[in-house]
């Protein structure tokens, strides 16, 4: 589905699950067309808006913790070390072990290794 579409879908699901529902959305760059809620997509929002910057930090730390937990389920990739970012170590792990179900098929090293589109 692609990372942009997946990101929008995840954001929309998150907004729909908020209780109470938000009155306004401040979003880094994108707009959620499917959302009923008034919103503003701010280009470079994480560097121009304190609220977006805080949310970005929380999201990154939460994601890193989730990936560290996935390291237990997928040993050998050292997910706890590189957190799934495209570091040289991550590429080396991919080359050594091949991709697992966590790897995005659109990630160019995975696509090149497997021929997935």
């Amino acid at each position: 589905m692609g990372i942009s579409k997946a990101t929008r879908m995840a954001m929309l699901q998150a907004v729909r699950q908020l209780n109470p529902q938000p009155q306004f959305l401040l979003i880094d760059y994108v707009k959620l067309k499917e959302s009923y809620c008034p919103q503003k997509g701010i280009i470079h929002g994480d560097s121009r808006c304190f609220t977006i910057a805080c949310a970005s930090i929380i999201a990154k730390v939460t994601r890193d913790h989730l990936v560290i937990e996935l390291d237990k389920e997928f040993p050998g990739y050292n997910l706890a070390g590189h957190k799934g970012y495209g570091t040289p170590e991550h590429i080396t792990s991919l080359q050594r072990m091949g991709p697992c179900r966590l790897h995005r098929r659109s990630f160019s090293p995975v696509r090149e290794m497997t021929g997935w589109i």
Side-chain angles (χ1 to χ4, degrees):
M1 108 176 19
I3 197 162
S4 179
K5 186 175 180 181
T7 298
R8 282 183 169 84
M9 186 170 39
M11 290 169 67
L12 189 59
Q13 287 175 357
V15 168
R16 287 179 176 160
Q17 292 177 21
L18 291 173
N19 187 12
Q21 285 289 291
Q23 296 176 347
F24 193 87
L25 303 175
L26 288 173
I27 306 173
D28 191 4
Y29 186 71
V30 301
K31 285 199 173 189
L32 297 177
K33 297 173 194 161
E34 303 87 353
S35 177
Y36 67 91
C37 194
Q39 60 192 279
K40 182 170 184 159
I42 301 173
I43 297 172
H44 303 296
D46 57 346
S47 64
R48 298 176 62 204
C49 175
F50 183 73
T51 304
I52 292 174
C54 292
S56 180
I57 291 166
I58 291 168
K60 182 191 180 311
V61 171
T62 300
R63 179 202 175 278
D64 287 353
H65 285 294
L66 291 171
V67 173
I68 289 167
E69 287 301 309
L70 287 169
D71 185 64
K72 297 171 187 169
E73 189 176 341
F74 297 92
Y77 289 98
N78 192 25
L79 296 172
H82 55 69
K83 315 291 187 300
Y85 296 104
T87 64
E89 181 184 9
H90 187 176
I91 305 304
T92 300
S93 297
L94 270 172
Q95 291 168 338
R96 186 180 72 251
M97 300 192 49
C100 69
R101 69 175 173 84
L102 296 176
H103 290 97
R104 281 186 296 116
R105 290 176 169 89
S106 60
F107 181 48
S108 61
V110 172
R111 189 175 60 243
E112 291 166 10
M113 276 184 232
T114 63
W116 287 331
I117 296 177

